Amino acid sequence: MNENASQLEIEDESRTSSTSRVADNQVAPPPVSYWVQVMKRLARNKTAMFGAVILLIFSIGCASAPLIAPYPIDEMNFQDRLMGPGPAHLLGTDDFGRDIFSRLLYGGRISLLTGLVTVTVASLIGVTLGVIAGYYRKVELYIMQVMDILLALPALLLAIAIIAVLGPGLTNAMIAIVIAVIPSYVRVVRAQVLSIREKEYIEAVRALGIRDGVILVKHILPNILSPIIVLMTLQFGTSILAAAALSFLGLGAQPPAPEWGAMVYVGKAFLGQAWWMSIFPGLAIMLVVLGFNLLGDGLRDALDPK
């Protein structure tokens, strides 16, 4: 009986070793990352790719402005004053004879940088406040009451009120836009944290005695990145549009700065005889905002394929 049992054990060990050798010879396929899948879904979205191409063209053009711009942005030539689009000046000239194309390229740097700064600062503050409000219920009431007060006014009207206190200028306009868009981040992040903090794995981690800071950074923030990324993409275009609107009203960038909104403001006085002064900066604003909106919609579909 013992001999039969030992023989069976030897046969089982031989089968196990042969199976393991076969498994070792087989190379397991590498796991596909979640973000790789997102990028593949995004690449299949033609509308999102169209928006990405628009943004890529503007980004490369504005970044290469010193190499591409045919004229200095402040070079005045009164002989070419209000010259229409043509070979000498691709998009025409303004009332001081300055090249519109060159000013558009350099103005795009200001507009894109304004969007980048405002979205970055607003997202950092808004995400932090939203996480705190969603995780710590004792301070939620106070944070959300402040956000409700800010949301009681339209974002642009709130920004105008803030600039009325701080004074006109591009820096103050960016501060005003940041304050105006923070509530949108707080509300989105708070809602996500409220749904996640009750999950079983969060309760299990909390039961192990892990500190709240570690739970927030390692277990909650990674699970709410998707809506934050989508919101940041959409807010990028909104911030650029808000900055251009404030500059058009004379509250943001001041002439002779080649900011797109300020260029539209200067050109409105010459619409009858030099339509290109306002039309081309307005088209640049429209295309960039459209690009961010298309890309943001595509990201939302790619991150949530349901």
Side-chain angles (χ1 to χ4, degrees), residues 34-241:
Y34 168 75
W35 294 106
V36 173
Q37 296 178 9
V38 169
M39 295 306 298
K40 288 182 179 180
R41 289 194 292 265
L42 183 64
R44 290 194 294 265
N45 190 324
K46 295 181 179 180
T47 305
M49 287 297 98
F50 178 69
V53 169
I54 293 176
L55 297 177
L56 184 63
I57 292 173
F58 273 93
S59 299
I60 294 176
C62 295
S64 306
L67 302 176
I68 299 176
Y71 300 94
I73 58 174
D74 293 328
E75 181 181 312
M76 300 182 186
N77 188 355
F78 289 97
Q79 295 179 350
D80 296 337
R81 181 175 179 268
L82 300 179
M83 179 181 291
H89 298 278
L90 187 61
L91 301 181
T93 61
D94 62 6
D95 53 327
F96 290 103
R98 296 173 298 190
D99 184 67
I100 297 293
F101 179 65
S102 301
R103 292 177 64 80
L104 270 182
L105 291 176
Y106 280 94
R109 299 175 118 189
I110 299 175
S111 297
L112 292 175
L113 181 62
T114 300
L116 178 62
V117 171
T118 53
V119 168
T120 302
V121 176
S123 62
L124 289 175
I125 299 175
V127 170
T128 301
L129 293 177
V131 169
I132 294 173
Y135 193 78
Y136 299 103
R137 305 303 295 272
K138 293 182 180 180
V139 298
E140 176 189 10
L141 177 62
Y142 304 104
I143 294 177
M144 297 313 299
Q145 281 182 345
V146 176
M147 296 301 111
D148 290 338
I149 293 173
L150 295 178
L151 286 171
L153 292 174
L156 185 58
L157 185 59
L158 177 60
I160 293 174
I162 295 172
I163 292 178
V165 177
L166 299 177
L170 183 59
T171 302
N172 292 340
M174 288 192 288
I175 294 173
I177 295 172
V178 167
I179 296 174
V181 301
I182 281 177
S184 59
Y185 288 96
V186 175
R187 292 178 68 90
V188 170
V189 174
R190 169 183 168 270
Q192 295 294 321
V193 175
L194 285 176
S195 62
I196 291 177
R197 71 186 299 271
E198 304 299 334
K199 299 290 185 181
E200 293 181 355
Y201 68 92
I202 297 296
E203 294 181 358
V205 172
R206 196 182 297 125
L208 292 175
I210 297 178
R211 292 178 298 175
D212 291 343
V214 177
I215 296 175
L216 293 175
V217 173
K218 290 188 175 181
H219 300 284
I220 291 183
L221 276 178
N223 289 299
I224 62 174
L225 282 179
S226 298
I228 293 175
I229 292 173
V230 173
L231 182 59
M232 288 179 66
T233 307
L234 296 174
Q235 286 290 346
F236 211 119
T238 304
S239 298
I240 292 175
L241 185 60

